[in-house]
Amino acid sequence: MTLIFLSVGLLALVFAGFFRGAPYVPTHNRQIGVALDLLDLPAGSVVVDLGSGDGSFLIAAAKRGLVAHGYEINPILCLIAWLRCLKYRGLTHIHLRDFWLSTLPLDTEGIYVFLNGAFMDRLNKKLEGVAKDHKKPIHLVSYGFALPNKKPILLKEGLYLYKL
């Protein structure tokens, strides 16, 4: 009986993100590099990864001198990201929380997301509110899925760049 509860719990953790935006699917290093190139933020800027998974984007951002915040709902992935990002303490911040219910840092200048297409309209509404609250434009890079009714500034290798 305990094994059944453990199995169900593990499956729930693995698929937690699926119902809130996307299951865990890592972004290839090449696309992470292209995403960061598109954001084109100077060192010291704050970038946010919504659904940060194993922390790969956070590490790549930190290597460029960016302050990277990752939001992840899956505690196992948060632990993996935290361990992987230990070397970049001070530049990487991992938040075990649902980004839909979170307030992003006020100094956020760029956001990266690899989200299920069905959630893109909701994301657009949330991020428009964030940009309005922050009283400055924010750049968004979305991997694989476009924001509905918005024209990207640039589309490169499956990555959409927007200014919100």
Side-chain angles (χ1 to χ4, degrees):
M1 191 63 134
T2 304
L3 185 58
I4 292 172
F5 284 119
L6 213 63
S7 298
V8 169
L10 185 59
L11 282 173
L13 285 174
V14 170
F15 289 102
F18 183 76
F19 299 105
R20 299 300 289 165
Y24 170 65
V25 178
T27 304
H28 299 288
N29 288 334
R30 173 155 176 74
Q31 272 69 33
I32 290 172
V34 172
L36 289 166
D37 290 346
L38 288 172
L39 287 171
D40 193 28
L41 299 172
S45 298
V46 174
V47 66
V48 172
D49 183 1
L50 302 177
S52 56
D54 66 7
S56 295
F57 182 88
L58 305 177
I59 292 167
K63 286 179 178 177
R64 293 185 183 209
L66 301 174
V67 178
H69 289 262
Y71 291 80
E72 178 57 55
I73 197 170
N74 184 321
I76 295 170
L77 289 172
C78 269
L79 178 60
I80 292 167
W82 183 80
L83 290 169
R84 291 187 70 215
C85 290
L86 278 174
K87 180 179 176 181
Y88 304 97
R89 284 182 293 228
L91 289 177
T92 57
H93 307 277
I94 294 134
H95 307 278
L96 174 59
R97 60 180 85 117
D98 185 339
F99 68 80
W100 295 113
L101 306 174
S102 298
T103 303
L104 302 183
L106 280 175
D107 48 357
T108 300
E109 295 181 53
I111 297 173
Y112 172 75
V113 66
F114 185 3
L115 190 64
N116 183 312
F119 292 90
M120 295 306 286
D121 187 48
R122 181 177 176 196
L123 178 69
N124 184 39
K125 290 173 184 157
K126 176 176 177 68
L127 295 183
E128 282 180 342
V130 168
K132 186 177 177 185
D133 291 345
H134 292 201
K135 297 179 173 64
K136 64 179 179 181
I138 296 174
H139 286 90
L140 167 73
V141 171
S142 173
Y143 182 34
F145 298 97
L147 291 175
N149 305 314
K150 272 215 192 285
K151 184 175 171 134
I153 296 170
L154 193 59
L155 171 60
K156 184 176 181 183
E157 297 185 36
L159 293 146
Y160 296 84
L161 173 66
Y162 297 95
K163 185 175 179 178
L164 306 169

